[in-house]
């Protein structure tokens, strides 16, 4: 197999473990929080965030089935009020790798095959 640059022409941004920890802490979440993600456009960005959280070992991350569009179509309640969440200490997520060939801190762009 050739150089990584030969086989992967797409570069993707992924938060570092430290950046992810800061984002979670600022949101009032930590490694023990249940995180529910949702979005528009078939949850594409929510799924990207789900993957990043799982790469860093977050235990309980969920995607809302159907995203915001389905929630609205079903007439479920919505609000623009911001919930109060006390900021947590920065702790990041767990340090165990979850994907074959991907370790926490790895951008996931390695050309090495999983063992």
């Amino acid at each position: 197999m050739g150089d990584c640059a030969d086989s992967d022409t797409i570069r993707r941004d992924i938060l570092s473990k430290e950046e992810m920890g800061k984002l979670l802490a600022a949101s009032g979440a930590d490694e023990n929080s249940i995180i529910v993600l949702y979005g528009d456009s078939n949850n594409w960005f929510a799924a990207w965030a789900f993957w990043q959280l799982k790469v860093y070992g977050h235990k309980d991350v969920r995607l809302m089935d159907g995203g915001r569009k389905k929630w609205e179509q079903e007439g479920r309640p919505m609000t623009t009020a911001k919930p109060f969440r006390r900021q947590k200490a920065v702790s990041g997520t767990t340090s165990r790798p979850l994907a074959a060939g991907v370790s926490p801190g790895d951008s996931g762009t390695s050309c090495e095959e999983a063992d």
Side-chain angles (χ1 to χ4, degrees):
M1 177 177 258
D3 183 88
C4 186
D6 295 336
S7 62
D8 187 6
T9 59
I10 300 173
R11 303 269 316 156
R12 293 171 181 86
D13 294 327
I14 182 170
L15 294 174
S16 69
K17 184 175 180 178
E18 180 180 271
E19 291 168 323
M20 180 64 76
K22 286 180 182 178
L23 179 62
L24 290 174
S27 301
D30 62 21
E31 65 272 1
N32 296 312
S33 298
I34 297 170
I35 298 178
V36 179
L37 302 164
Y38 65 93
D40 297 324
S41 302
N42 299 313
N43 277 341
W44 293 338
F45 293 110
W48 178 247
F50 178 95
W51 178 79
Q52 288 188 62
L53 285 159
K54 286 306 205 176
V55 163
Y56 290 125
H58 197 85
K59 297 175 209 149
D60 200 347
V61 186
R62 305 170 189 194
L63 282 174
M64 188 169 75
D65 184 22
R68 188 181 64 114
K69 287 180 183 179
K70 182 179 177 191
W71 189 271
E72 287 178 322
Q73 289 171 350
E74 292 175 349
R76 294 177 182 257
M78 296 179 70
T79 182
T80 57
K82 283 187 165 184
F84 174 74
R85 301 270 190 260
R86 189 172 306 271
Q87 185 168 343
K88 304 268 184 163
V90 176
S91 62
T93 54
T94 63
S95 60
R96 65 183 173 85
L98 288 178
V102 179
S103 298
D106 184 355
S107 67
T109 59
S110 172
C111 293
E112 296 177 21
E113 294 187 27
D115 295 333

